[in-house]
Amino acid sequence: MKRNLVALPAMVVLAVLAGAYGSFFATGLLRQVPGTASVAGPLSLDNYLRFLAGGGQVPVFLDTFGFAVLLTLITALIGYPLAYFIARTESRFLRVFFLAVLVATFLSGSVTRAYGWMVILGNRGLLNSLLLNAGLIEQPFRILYRQLGVGIALVHFLLPFFVLTVVGGIRNVPRALEEASRDLGCGPARTFMRVTLPLSLPAVAEGMALSLALALSAFLFPLMLGGGRVRLVANYIYDQIFVAFDIPFAAVVSAGFLVCSCAALLVMAGLQRLLLRRFATGGLT
Amino acid sequence: MRRGPLGRALWTLYLALVMGFLLAPVLFVVFYSFNDATMFRLPVGALSLRWYRAFFDSDQFQPALRATLVIAAIVVPATLLVALPTAHLMARGKGQAWLGAALTAPVVVPGVVTGIAFLGLFGMLGVGDAMTRLTIGLSVFCLPFSLRALNASYAGLDRRPEEAARDLGATPLRAYWGVTLPQLKAGVLAGAIFAFVEATDNFSIAVFLADTRTRTLPIAAYEHVRDFDDPTVAAMATVLTLVALVFVLVLEKVIGLEKLIRHG
């Protein structure tokens, strides 16, 4: 009885979630009343067949996944050394300072950051003004309203998530192992490549899975910085609803997209498990 | 970390570049918000508070600011009221991992999908009031963030004081209220901050639940940026950055950022 009472709030939330997602995906079985935002029966799989036959969404899906994977790799490459530095620096001041910058960036919100990149990267923004003033370019260099601008802002958005995840993983690598490797004659670079890096790879996989999930569902950044020219799946779904008013097809695209991103995340999770087994530190920590 | 002069120089260069990249948008927005001109132009002209006045006097932003604060004032306690018993259940019950995974769904599912799904559900239930929709929708969305902070607190919890209280005859509720909850203070604080930030910053779910009369700050900011080219949003962003800085200081003072990462 008492336990049920403790579980009650969570159950209410679960019911809301199940009701919301369930009813939304169920509308995929209905049909749009032409020219309106309402839906009607009879139940059919037409929307699913239309989706599987491949319509406008296939290039959008491919673009989104390719873009998200690329951004995840860039984030990992830029972020790993920072995570390593934060985990291993001897200066507490520097560690707290870098952590504070990351947490502040994370807490300052996505609208703030998307806007910040808009005014930096725009044709009359800071970067182009500086380059024009310095005489390095004649014409403003277009960064905004194409994938480059959206990508820069998204890497900036993903970086704190990745670094904050990986710092913990590197800190968990036992120092004794690194010292043993040094004592046995390995240089710092070799110790890093053969001990620290492999042992921190599970955390890297976790951070990359998180970045991938966030990059895949990006909506505000392509909307603000892409100016309608960079269209990812989330924007495509949004257009299905607010431009085409086709809620059933939007539901089917969402379902298909969820299946694809779950598959991608499962691959990442499998990779993480594989790495954990390969480089397990059990018994040493 | 021992390294030679070249390694040192490369590290310094790298760290400076990454810090520049991380701080650039925030620093430039702060600077831009004090710029008197409508357009950004080099060299920089006069400074003024003109855009702060524009932000606080605006009949677009003022209602949005008020709505956002009201929503946050309801969402944060509501989220904690659900998160506290749920975190307890997850820490003490067995095989509750699925519960955490299920409640985390709105973080993994693209916000656009969650937003439409909520809109459909509220449509079926006949909830026409945007404020109600936003409050419920954002509470559900913020829950996993608070839950994560509380789970971390439970992971480092010493159970003996609670057991001692129970042995001395305290009811479970009294032991929880008097002994366990005070130990979770740091997690509750972090959970409240995360819920506040997510509730005030969310765009992709909120855009579906809002209507023309009740909008949150991110939606008002997006619409302003879409239709105008002036630094009003820079003033708003500066205010939000200031709030974020206060949160960072509070987290560092009360919990310690290093500890936050270890459990995070």
Side-chain angles (χ1 to χ4, degrees), chain A residues 63-64 67 71 143 145-152 230-232:
Chain A
D63 264 7
T64 306
F67 193 49
L71 294 183
I143 309 170
Y145 306 134
R146 47 190 278 204
Q147 286 208 330
L148 181 62
V150 179
I152 291 174
V230 180
R231 293 175 72 236
L232 303 182

Side-chain angles (χ1 to χ4, degrees), chain B residues 11-150:
Chain B
W11 266 110
T12 312
L13 180 68
Y14 161 79
L15 289 172
L17 284 176
V18 173
M19 276 305 115
F21 177 63
L22 278 172
L23 291 172
V26 174
L27 290 182
F28 184 61
V29 159
V30 172
F31 165 75
Y32 188 48
S33 71
F34 293 107
N35 195 21
D36 188 55
T38 307
M39 298 282 178
F40 174 73
R41 214 178 301 118
L42 286 173
V44 176
L47 300 180
S48 85
L49 289 174
R50 181 180 161 194
W51 303 110
Y52 288 86
R53 232 171 295 130
F55 171 68
F56 285 108
D57 286 346
S58 154
D59 49 4
Q60 300 297 311
F61 284 109
Q62 217 199 27
L65 177 64
R66 211 173 317 126
T68 306
L69 289 177
V70 171
I71 289 168
I74 303 172
V75 165
V76 172
T79 305
L80 285 177
L81 279 179
V82 179
L84 279 169
T86 308
H88 194 76
L89 195 70
M90 286 169 69
R92 298 295 151 84
K94 282 202 174 63
Q96 313 284 359
W98 65 270
L99 189 62
L103 293 173
T104 310
V107 180
V108 185
V109 176
V112 177
V113 176
T114 307
I116 310 164
F118 276 141
L119 186 61
L121 180 72
F122 290 134
M124 283 196 316
L125 298 177
V127 182
D129 178 42
M131 203 65 178
T132 316
R133 285 197 302 236
L134 283 164
T135 315
I136 298 175
L138 289 175
S139 298
V140 173
F141 172 69
C142 292
L143 179 61
F145 295 96
S146 304
L147 210 48
R148 210 176 135 110
L150 281 173

Side-chain angles (χ1 to χ4, degrees), chain A residues 10-105:
Chain A
M11 292 307 145
V12 172
V13 173
L14 278 182
V16 172
L17 279 176
Y21 290 128
S23 59
F24 176 50
F25 292 125
T27 49
L29 299 169
L30 299 172
R31 218 168 307 180
Q32 176 192 20
V33 179
T36 69
S38 48
V39 293
L43 295 179
S44 80
L45 288 171
D46 286 0
N47 289 308
Y48 281 91
L49 294 176
R50 189 174 136 207
F51 175 77
L52 290 176
Q57 85 277 5
V58 177
V60 182
F61 268 54
L62 290 177
D63 264 7
T64 306
F65 277 90
F67 193 49
V69 168
L70 178 69
L71 294 183
T72 303
L73 289 174
I74 295 175
T75 304
L77 281 178
I78 299 179
Y80 189 88
L82 181 60
Y84 181 81
F85 183 84
I86 293 174
R88 283 298 187 239
T89 181
E90 274 133 35
S91 150
R92 194 189 116 79
F93 170 76
L94 281 179
R95 182 163 51 242
V96 172
F97 172 74
F98 284 122
L99 282 177
V101 169
L102 285 167
V103 176
T105 311

Side-chain angles (χ1 to χ4, degrees), chain A residues 153-166:
Chain A
L154 269 175
V155 167
H156 183 263
F157 171 71
L158 299 175
L159 208 51
F161 290 96
F162 178 83
V163 175
L164 293 176
T165 309
V166 174

